[in-house]
Amino acid sequence: MKKILALMLALTFLTSCGNTASKEINIDSLAETMVSSLDFEDELMAIDSEMAFYIHDVEELVNDAVVYLGSGATAEEVAVFEAKNKNAMKELKEEIAEYIEDKRDEYEDYIPAEVSRINKAVIREEGNYLVLCINNDAESVKTLLEIYFNKEK
Amino acid sequence: MIVKKSFYILFLLILFCITSCKEQAEEVMASSEVSEEISVVAIEESVLEESVYVAEKEDVKISTDSVVTPPNAAVDESYFDDTVFIGDSRTQGFIYYNGLSNAIAYVDKGLNVDTALNKQVIKLDGNCYTVPEALEKGRDFKKVYIMLGINELGWVYSDIFIEKYSELIDRIKEINPETTIYVQSILPVTEEKSNSDEIFNMDKIGQYNTLIKAMADEKGVIYLNVAESVSDENGFLPKEAATDGIHLKKSYCALWLEYLKNNAV
């Protein structure tokens, strides 16, 4: 939470300095901000883009995607997608919902304690962007995304 | 009076000398502290360089000692274009972190030799298959790398583990008799994990690896002691390699890949 407060201050400062309003989001920057600002138990690392589509079978639906995964010790994850259009966004949301179901099934037999974390998964849609974050502190995730997207508006 | 004045001047001179000497001494001490710090850093860096060099030297040694069949020269990642990796969460991390999207990965968290044979956990085109069923779907693979065993360490009978592992090897040979099969040793866990866990410990991993190597010899497949690529001098996974003592971080998955590239047949 301390990290979130620091981020709030930083973003507030950026906003008050007259950062230009834009609907375009730099998804690399957003994912990186999430990984560095939120508390994760495991060390999350960026997955290369081809592998990101190997994990999330959504290549046809998006312009770009950024995925950060842990070592497998936890179910933690950060993924940010830029959908091609509104129709693609609809399908993308369905794919991500299915992905979470699969992940829940996978961990149920493997590390049952991780299921509660997966149940706290935050999915946030903003324009053509979709964010998935699996983290124990869902409230902090929501707060961070609220601040981030408001800054970008 | 003159004597008294001279004595006073002499006293002032001595006082000046003492003060300036003290200042010089302090400067010398301060600079020696700095140089000491610099030399400590230099020593640490040289130790680091030395350990990297030793690791490189050891890699060379590993590449000749630990493989049943003598290895060829190092290969690049395209070597894995026609390769299937079979494994559990550790192999999954290996594939994801190394970005090996050119290879086929039949991996699942918690996969073991029994579920690999009998449980339909491999998703292909929206359907689920056992590992042999998935292999039958695309028979043109040339190499198979297997790492299984960590999830079986808690089994009561290790002979059942080897029986099932052998069965999996036989099934792969049946499906594609031309394929080169690499059986990898089970990777170590950290010392802390090993000392605190009745199942995930180095005694058990060592026992299982001995069984796996014997099975590989018997079946005529290649045994890779890949554990050496990520072990510390005492055979443990270094503490910094895994947050839970088991699953490898990205940098250690890279060491594992380098080992495979340097030990291709």
Side-chain angles (χ1 to χ4, degrees):
Chain A
M1 198 61 193
K2 275 179 191 170
K3 284 182 182 175
I4 299 279
L5 288 171
L7 180 82
M8 282 170 75
L9 283 171
L11 291 179
T12 309
F13 176 75
L14 282 174
T15 312
S16 62
C17 284
N19 200 27
T20 50
S22 168
K23 283 184 181 176
E24 282 198 8
I25 301 284
N26 180 331
I27 64 170
D28 290 288
S29 158
L30 171 55
E32 203 181 320
T33 302
M34 292 176 74
V35 170
S36 60
S37 306
L38 296 162
D39 288 322
F40 289 96
E41 209 175 298
D42 200 2
E43 187 180 292
L44 267 62
M45 300 294 282
I47 302 298
D48 93 5
S49 56
E50 269 190 59
M51 191 49 71
F53 293 128
Y54 189 94
I55 296 163
H56 294 282
D57 189 15
V58 298
E59 193 169 5
E60 302 298 314
L61 306 173
V62 302
N63 291 326
D64 202 2
V66 181
V67 177
Y68 279 75
L69 278 182
S71 63
T74 71
E76 291 166 321
E77 179 172 349
V78 167
V80 187
F81 307 93
E82 185 189 347
K84 282 185 175 168
N85 50 50
K86 275 187 181 177
N87 288 337
M89 174 59 89
K90 198 182 160 200
E91 275 187 66
L92 177 61
K93 283 195 287 185
E94 286 168 8
E95 287 286 344
I96 297 305
E98 196 181 324
Y99 171 81
I100 292 171
E101 276 304 309
D102 288 348
K103 196 157 185 167
R104 191 180 287 120
D105 291 345
E106 198 177 29
Y107 272 95
E108 214 152 39
D109 294 331
Y110 184 55
I111 310 176
E114 286 300 306
V115 173
S116 67
R117 203 193 305 259
I118 296 168
N119 289 339
K120 292 175 193 165
V122 173
I123 300 172
R124 165 86 187 242
E125 181 186 352
E126 187 74 30
N128 279 342
Y129 301 95
L130 191 74
V131 180
L132 162 67
C133 184
I134 301 176
N135 179 291
N136 249 349
D137 189 354
E139 282 312 306
S140 289
V141 176
K142 288 175 190 167
T143 307
L144 185 148
L145 292 173
E146 194 60 32
I147 298 164
Y148 198 95
F149 284 123
N150 281 335
K151 176 186 84 74
E152 297 292 337
K153 276 178 185 171
Chain B
M1 186 65 185
I2 291 169
V3 174
K4 207 174 177 181
K5 200 173 179 179
S6 302
F7 180 76
Y8 182 65
I9 290 167
L10 188 67
F11 175 74
L12 280 176
L13 274 169
I14 291 168
L15 193 67
F16 174 73
C17 278
I18 290 170
T19 316
S20 60
C21 283
K22 196 182 167 193
E23 277 174 9
Q24 272 185 352
E26 279 174 358
E27 276 176 21
V28 169
M29 278 180 70
S31 74
S32 85
E33 274 171 17
V34 170
S35 33
E36 202 175 323
E37 276 177 23
I38 290 167
S39 60
V40 168
V41 171
I43 287 167
E44 281 174 358
E45 278 177 359
S46 88
V47 168
L48 190 66
E49 277 171 16
E50 201 177 316
S51 57
V52 169
Y53 175 68
V54 169
E56 282 172 0
K57 293 268 280 184
E58 279 175 358
D59 267 352
V60 174
K61 185 173 160 280
I62 287 161
S63 68
T64 53
D65 285 348
S66 57
V67 185
V68 173
T69 309
N72 286 343
V75 296
D76 63 26
E77 283 174 25
S78 65
Y79 179 78
F80 303 109
D81 285 352
D82 52 7
T83 298
V84 177
F85 284 88
I86 297 169
D88 49 44
S89 55
R90 284 167 141 188
T91 302
Q92 195 175 46
F94 166 85
I95 296 286
Y96 290 171
Y97 277 155
N98 286 315
L100 282 182
S101 49
N102 54 329
I104 296 167
Y106 294 149
V107 293
D108 189 50
K109 286 187 172 63
L111 194 74
N112 61 50
V113 287
D114 184 45
T115 53
L117 281 165
N118 302 311
K119 201 172 170 185
Q120 293 181 314
V121 289
I122 308 301
K123 230 178 173 181
L124 290 174
D125 305 323
N127 296 309
C128 292
Y129 301 97
T130 63
V131 169
E133 284 169 354
L135 290 170
E136 279 174 338
K137 290 266 159 199
R139 290 163 181 263
D140 57 347
F141 55 89
K142 299 281 192 298
K143 306 137 200 159
V144 175
Y145 283 81
I146 313 169
M147 184 186 287
L148 291 166
I150 189 93
N151 294 308
E152 295 89 321
L153 294 180
W155 288 13
V156 180
Y157 301 107
S158 56
D159 52 344
I160 294 179
F161 162 69
I162 282 300
E163 239 172 63
K164 295 273 180 192
Y165 210 146
S166 300
E167 198 182 326
L168 180 62
I169 304 286
D170 291 343
R171 286 289 292 120
I172 296 166
K173 284 181 171 178
E174 273 171 35
I175 294 163
N176 188 340
E178 301 303 315
T179 195
T180 304
I181 301 173
Y182 294 89
V183 174
Q184 301 166 87
S185 59
I186 304 170
L187 299 176
V189 295
T190 58
E191 187 171 9
E192 193 185 350
K193 185 73 183 171
S194 184
N195 292 340
S196 63
D197 203 300
E198 284 183 15
I199 293 171
F200 300 108
N201 60 62
M202 289 312 298
D203 286 345
K204 288 215 166 195
I205 290 173
Q207 287 166 22
Y208 271 57
N209 278 340
T210 304
L211 293 171
I212 293 169
K213 187 176 185 312
M215 178 203 68
D217 290 346
E218 192 194 317
K219 293 277 167 198
V221 298
I222 300 157
Y223 176 77
L224 290 179
N225 189 10
V226 68
E228 288 179 282
S229 66
V230 295
S231 300
D232 65 15
E233 63 278 11
N234 297 314
F236 295 106
L237 189 65
K239 194 180 174 186
E240 72 275 8
T243 50
D244 63 350
I246 296 176
H247 295 89
L248 271 62
K249 290 184 186 176
K250 194 172 184 174
S251 55
Y252 279 80
C253 286
L255 291 176
W256 176 359
L257 176 62
E258 277 310 300
Y259 183 91
L260 297 191
K261 283 158 67 178
N262 288 323
N263 288 282
V265 175

